[in-house]
Amino acid sequence: MSVLYDVPGPRARRLSLVLSLVAGVLILAGLVALVLFLAAPRENAGGVQQPGMLDPSRWVILNDRAFWRAVGRGLTATLQMAAVGAVLALAFGVLLSLARTARSAVVRIPAIVVVEFFRGMPVLLLMLFILLVFSTGAYWAGVWALGLYNGAVIGEALRSGIASLPRGQRESGLAIGLTPLQVRFAIEYPQAFRQMLPIILAQLVVLLKDTSLAYIIGYPELLNIVLRQGPTTFGSEFFFTFFFVVWAVYLGVNLLLSWLARLVARRTSAAHVSARRARRTARVLAQLGGAGVEGARRPDERPPSGH
């Protein structure tokens, strides 16, 4: 029996099975209806009959190399903004978490105000503010806005990670002669990053998706090049195809980043690190035992007779 709820009986299992089948049928019916709706011919504003969205004539653009070069330029611009914004967000997050956990109220209170200010401001509004006030250009307006907003979120995550650590670790570091700053970077931050790594990586995925907001300020990222410039360059009849390609590219990149986030989180977990250290220790002991070093026998090896 589970701690939270009782094991379902035969009647509850049958009801769950029936509801699952009904939900599956409804979802399948919805997908079929969507496909039929997209495939149906339609009339434009001038009353001209046009083929459906799934008609092969709307997908011939996928054979155009110029279109894929445009997609590549947009994706490259998106990744450039996301990469620089991520570095800035991590640096800003570390500084904010350092200030938020300071003992002095003169440092801590302004840091709280800064964190709440940037967390409460929409990213697009922040982009427009930086662009209009500082005249940085579309690229740097997007980078700074993404870095400041996501840095505030990451800073709060790191502060929570530091607060969750046992106080004895900090006291032990101070007892052996480390300065408070050395304790923070040598003892607390490595553990806080390990604990909050899934949240931090998830926020970096959000940062990548938020680069699409730079479409509004004229930065030539993926959404701007494909959905705004694409119909003008290649024809408006391919607009649904453009939408599908942008969706597929964003989905693929975000799934890859999510997979990397889970991989890094799994490899940096405490259990994985302990198992890796145990395997390393076992290899060292096996090597020492093979070399005939006294006292380095394997646990299943019996001592020689006569001892």
Side-chain angles (χ1 to χ4, degrees), residues 20-281:
S20 299
L21 292 175
V22 171
V25 170
L26 291 176
I27 293 174
L28 182 60
L31 292 176
V32 172
L34 178 61
V35 170
L36 294 177
F37 173 76
L38 293 175
R42 61 200 65 207
E43 294 183 358
N44 59 13
V48 179
Q49 189 83 4
Q50 291 186 335
M53 297 298 179
L54 302 182
D55 190 84
S57 63
R58 292 185 178 270
W59 298 87
V60 295
I61 189 64
L62 299 181
N63 297 324
D64 193 339
R65 294 183 179 180
F67 168 70
W68 289 111
R69 286 195 293 267
V71 172
R73 289 196 304 271
L75 180 59
T76 301
T78 294
L79 295 178
Q80 286 176 347
M81 177 175 283
V84 179
V87 173
L88 183 62
L90 290 173
F92 192 52
V94 170
L95 292 177
L96 282 178
S97 65
L98 192 63
R100 283 279 281 112
T101 55
R103 291 188 176 183
S104 174
V106 177
V107 178
R108 188 175 63 255
I109 293 177
I112 295 175
V113 174
V114 170
V115 167
E116 296 303 326
F117 174 78
F118 285 119
R119 288 176 65 192
M121 179 176 285
V123 180
L124 179 57
L125 187 61
L126 191 55
M127 288 182 183
L128 292 171
F129 177 80
I130 295 173
L131 179 65
L132 296 175
V133 174
F134 298 102
S135 301
T136 57
Y139 173 74
W140 285 109
V143 166
W144 279 104
L146 293 171
L148 293 174
Y149 172 79
N150 292 279
V153 178
I154 292 174
E156 276 297 286
L158 289 176
R159 183 197 64 79
S160 301
I162 292 173
S164 66
L165 298 177
R167 295 185 60 183
Q169 296 191 11
R170 180 176 181 81
E171 295 172 356
S172 300
L174 296 174
I176 63 176
L178 298 178
T179 64
L181 195 61
Q182 288 174 330
V183 171
R184 181 61 48 82
F185 282 97
I187 298 177
E188 294 179 330
Y189 269 132
Q191 298 180 77
F193 266 103
R194 184 181 300 119
Q195 290 184 4
M196 296 295 141
L197 189 60
I199 297 176
I200 293 173
L201 292 176
Q203 193 61 37
L204 294 180
V205 172
V206 172
L207 184 149
L208 174 64
K209 292 188 291 186
D210 284 346
T211 56
S212 60
L213 296 173
Y215 166 96
I216 305 298
I217 60 176
Y219 180 67
E221 45 77 51
L222 181 63
L223 201 66
N224 192 335
I225 287 183
V226 179
L227 287 185
R228 180 186 243 176
Q229 302 177 19
T232 303
T233 305
F234 301 101
S236 59
E237 67 272 16
F238 301 114
F239 190 83
F240 178 78
T241 309
F242 298 154
F243 168 81
F244 180 83
V245 169
V246 170
W247 169 79
V249 171
Y250 271 115
L251 180 64
V253 173
N254 288 327
L255 287 178
L256 177 61
L257 289 179
S258 299
W259 175 78
L260 290 175
R262 291 193 298 269
L263 179 63
V264 172
R266 186 166 60 249
R267 293 185 64 86
T268 57
S269 63
H272 184 84
V273 172
S274 299
R276 188 168 52 191
R277 289 176 179 173
R279 289 194 298 268
R280 187 183 302 117
T281 302

